[in-house]
Amino acid sequence: MSKAFASQADLADKKITFEQLSPHCWAYTAEGDPNSGVIIGEKFIMVSDATATPAMARDLIARIREVSDKPIKYVLLTHYHAVRVLGASAFFAEGATEIIASQGTQELIVERGKEDMQSEMDRFPRLFRNAESVPGLTWPTMVIGGGDPTRGEVPGKLVVDLGGVKVQIWHPGPGHTRGDTIAWVEEEKVLYSGDLVEFEAGVYTGDAHLEEWPATLEALRALKAEAIVPGRGEAMKGRSEVERALDYTKQWVETLYRCACEAAAADMDLKQAMAHTRKSMDPVFGHVFIYEHCLPFDVSRAYDEARGIKNPRIWTAERDKEMWASLQD
Ligand SMILES: [Zn+2]
């Protein structure tokens, strides 16, 4: 039997949880769907990841309004993926003025944002069922990692004071993409990792830098967070739970990349690499949310990287389906 493309058969609504992790930090999670974070200060609110569509973002805004009437001034894009950025215009309508992203993310939006939007809309019909509400690509107003303040660029680390709580934002290294950023509330030890960390959900690596990702995870581990809002999966509370999420992600990334390197060394083709990788991945991860969606994209990228392709190839709606037909049908 052939498998429905990506998440096209995944149409049942998820239960959303909006929970408080510390005095100023909140998590908006939905059973393996893309998460958002919310940091509520005495003056301003920051949202980390904007959801897939303005319609979906309005649900997040409604949850925030149940607990705070402060202005939502800042929206952080942890990376460029459409399911995380295309809801941003709803926050503008709510008064947000700043969209924060890294220089790497800005470059990726320029280079492949359009292709990614089309590809992700086809992959996730449930998340994009209000796609007509998306006005177009989302562009940052503050760019971390550049050196030109006249263009809104901030070198190194950005610290945003929301009133009574400070948020540190920086690019800790390549991983899920080459532009990932995190938000870290040091006083409360809460980390918003975006898709650099997942838990009990597929770790999508189709645009990843697999060899470098584990070192980036170790940089996050060194923060000694007491709570983490991963990109997908429930918020993890307590040091040992944070470690579990980091270990889970690292095991996925390392197992996948090791299999791809073995496949490349043995001169396997992509289909053989997929079968080889399944032997190690299926028994450990086969049960988690969006596993079958992620795996063929992940193996495609891992196989490329193992064969020396440094910059992930751009996924288009057409390339998605060709790859799927050859690996999953
Ligand atoms: Zn992502």
Side-chain angles (χ1 to χ4, degrees), residues 271-303:
K271 219 174 153 78
Q272 292 167 321
M274 177 78 170
H276 177 67
T277 304
R278 276 195 180 283
K279 282 187 243 158
S280 296
M281 295 287 286
D282 286 7
V284 185
F285 299 108
H287 63 285
V288 305
F289 179 73
I290 69 165
Y291 175 77
E292 287 297 336
H293 170 147
C294 289
L295 192 69
F297 294 100
D298 285 16
V299 171
S300 299
R301 170 57 194 149
Y303 181 72

Side-chain angles (χ1 to χ4, degrees), residues 79 81 83-84 120 176-177 180 195 198 204:
H79 59 288
H81 283 149
V83 292
R84 309 208 161 254
E120 292 200 52
H176 176 68
T177 72
D180 304 280
D195 282 330
E198 317 283 15
Y204 176 75

Side-chain angles (χ1 to χ4, degrees), residues 76-324:
L76 168 66
L77 312 178
T78 62
H79 59 288
Y80 75 96
H81 283 149
V83 292
R84 309 208 161 254
V85 305
L86 295 183
S89 64
F91 296 98
F92 284 132
E94 189 69 14
T97 53
E98 301 293 354
I99 303 277
I100 304 166
S102 71
Q103 189 171 37
T105 290
Q106 162 137 305
E107 288 165 6
L108 286 162
I109 296 169
V110 171
E111 182 187 284
R112 57 183 70 194
K114 231 175 131 202
E115 288 83 354
D116 178 69
M117 172 159 67
Q118 193 52 57
S119 145
E120 292 200 52
M121 283 180 175
D122 288 358
R123 293 180 192 183
F124 297 102
R126 174 169 52 79
L127 297 178
F128 283 107
R129 74 185 145 207
N130 300 108
E132 71 288 345
S133 64
V134 175
L137 295 176
T138 301
W139 295 100
T141 60
M142 295 174 82
V143 178
I144 304 165
D148 182 355
T150 64
R151 297 173 56 206
E153 294 178 357
V154 182
K157 188 181 284 188
L158 173 68
V159 181
V160 179
D161 187 349
L162 300 176
V165 60
K166 288 196 178 78
V167 187
Q168 303 173 37
I169 300 167
W170 74 99
H171 166 61
H176 176 68
T177 72
R178 75 176 143 86
D180 304 280
T181 58
I182 55 166
W184 170 233
V185 179
E186 188 168 16
E187 284 79 4
E188 299 173 23
K189 301 254 171 242
V190 179
L191 175 63
Y192 297 89
S193 67
D195 282 330
L196 276 173
V197 182
E198 317 283 15
F199 186 66
E200 289 291 313
V203 181
Y204 176 75
T205 77
D207 306 298
H209 297 263
L210 289 148
E211 194 179 357
E212 293 161 286
W213 194 337
T216 302
L217 289 171
E218 290 311 315
L220 302 189
R221 198 189 299 274
L223 296 172
K224 299 187 165 50
E226 292 287 344
I228 186 169
V229 180
R232 290 176 182 271
E234 63 188 290
M236 305 295 275
K237 289 155 272 185
R239 271 296 295 288
S240 62
E241 290 295 282
V242 172
E243 293 285 321
R244 263 178 88 199
L246 290 164
D247 290 342
Y248 170 89
T249 309
K250 195 174 181 190
Q251 187 184 1
W252 179 299
V253 169
E254 288 184 340
T255 305
L256 177 73
Y257 192 52
R258 171 182 56 76
C259 293
C261 290
E262 288 164 0
D267 249 339
M268 293 182 199
D269 65 18
L270 180 60
K271 219 174 153 78
Q272 292 167 321
M274 177 78 170
H276 177 67
T277 304
R278 276 195 180 283
K279 282 187 243 158
S280 296
M281 295 287 286
D282 286 7
V284 185
F285 299 108
H287 63 285
V288 305
F289 179 73
I290 69 165
Y291 175 77
E292 287 297 336
H293 170 147
C294 289
L295 192 69
F297 294 100
D298 285 16
V299 171
S300 299
R301 170 57 194 149
Y303 181 72
D304 274 359
E305 187 172 329
R307 291 185 312 145
I309 298 176
K310 180 89 179 135
N311 194 27
R313 288 191 284 144
I314 295 174
W315 291 102
T316 62
E318 295 71 35
R319 183 181 166 221
D320 277 14
K321 288 178 191 113
E322 268 171 40
M323 177 284 291
W324 194 272

